[in-house]
Amino acid sequence: AAQSGMVVPVLRDGNERGLSLTFVVDTGPAMAVWRRLETELLDLFHRLGAFRDLQKWYLRTAEGEVLGVSRTPQGDPRGHSGRGGEGPTAIRHHAELTDPARRVILLLTDAASQAWYSGAITPVLERWASSGPVAIIQPLPQQLWARTGLSPVQGRVSCRSAVAPNTELGFRPLRRASRPFAWAEPDSFDGPDDSPDSPRRDRMAERDSSEGLVPIPVLGLGPEWLADWARFIVSPAGVGC
């Protein structure tokens, strides 16, 4: 993207477009300033031709609660029943985005809405993370992340297989983690390795299991962030990042 300076890697599984992408955009009160970035990212994802299917949804929140997801950022939430609806403004349950058939979810958010501070976002992300790879794109400068409702914990992420759901990832925080958001530097992704003596297996065993958290990688806008994460999720067994 010319304005953001982002280079998005091609997520290909061999010669086949084996992955689908769900691009979710937060509708918090400050997200309006990122509409141009939203458009640029969506255009890039389409032009890559790397996905067999590409969907865009909006995450709808109000007064510290998650209402659901919809095809448009506007719409009257009062008719939300939790059972879905018809039309682009209908708010549907967030679980409708889960798909075990190799679907990746990327959430663009500044994490500034009350739903992030109340913790209402956490079960939504955990539900998505149980079915496939999920990551957050945070457009704010990295030095401001701790001032948002995200406040990720720095550490290293590892996995045992390609396109693994986040529930199967290992995470070694550099400090005690009380929230599921993992600030993984571009060089902090360890690819899968199934060999019995692999040091990565030891690191997997050292996952912060006492907290019972599901790590959700947080990515900045630099090209190295998405590039390393893309290699991480599609690497075949035994290949590191």
Side-chain angles (χ1 to χ4, degrees):
Q3 298 299 320
S4 65
M6 179 180 291
V7 177
V8 181
V10 176
L11 302 181
R12 290 192 185 276
D13 183 20
N15 296 320
E16 180 183 353
R17 292 188 299 176
L19 294 178
S20 297
L21 172 65
T22 296
F23 181 45
V24 183
V25 182
D26 195 356
T27 57
M31 283 298 295
V33 300
W34 303 111
R35 290 294 177 246
R36 184 172 182 176
L37 174 62
E38 170 194 335
T39 301
E40 290 179 339
L41 283 171
L42 187 64
D43 181 60
L44 278 170
F45 294 147
H46 275 295
R47 287 191 289 109
L48 284 173
F51 307 102
R52 68 168 184 260
D53 174 54
L54 198 161
Q55 301 179 5
K56 182 174 75 169
W57 291 82
Y58 290 91
L59 180 65
R60 306 287 297 280
T61 62
E63 300 179 352
E65 298 295 329
V66 175
L67 303 178
V69 294
S70 64
R71 290 292 194 174
T72 64
Q74 291 87 27
D76 187 357
R78 290 175 295 179
H80 174 55
S81 65
R83 295 187 296 273
E86 300 297 332
T89 63
I91 297 179
R92 308 175 72 92
H93 197 279
H94 64 269
E96 292 192 26
L97 301 191
T98 59
D99 181 357
R102 301 173 69 84
R103 178 169 294 277
V104 176
I105 296 179
L106 283 174
L107 171 62
L108 175 65
T109 181
D110 60 6
S113 75
Q114 286 300 315
W116 287 91
Y117 291 96
S118 69
I121 295 287
T122 300
V124 174
L125 291 173
E126 290 179 340
R127 179 68 180 86
W128 292 346
S130 67
S131 66
V134 177
I136 294 169
I137 300 177
Q138 169 58 277
L140 291 174
Q142 191 172 329
Q143 62 268 26
L144 298 180
W145 292 1
R147 300 182 185 181
T148 69
L150 196 59
S151 188
V153 175
Q154 187 176 9
R156 297 191 69 87
V157 181
S158 56
C159 67
R160 295 185 188 275
S161 61
V163 200
N166 293 55
T167 49
E168 297 179 10
L169 299 182
F171 179 55
R172 295 182 64 202
L174 298 187
R175 59 182 173 85
R176 184 175 178 82
S178 59
R179 310 192 70 175
F181 312 114
W183 165 20
E185 292 280 8
D187 63 348
S188 298
F189 291 103
D190 293 327
D193 192 334
D194 291 333
S195 60
D197 299 325
S198 168
R200 292 198 180 100
R201 277 187 169 250
D202 295 337
R203 288 199 289 269
M204 286 290 293
E206 295 170 8
R207 176 179 173 177
D208 192 32
S209 57
S210 62
E211 297 292 346
L213 300 178
V214 178
I216 309 291
V218 180
L219 313 174
L221 287 180
E224 68 279 4
W225 292 88
L226 273 176
D228 273 28
W229 178 73
R231 286 193 294 267
F232 171 73
I233 65 171
V234 301
S235 295
V239 177
C241 298

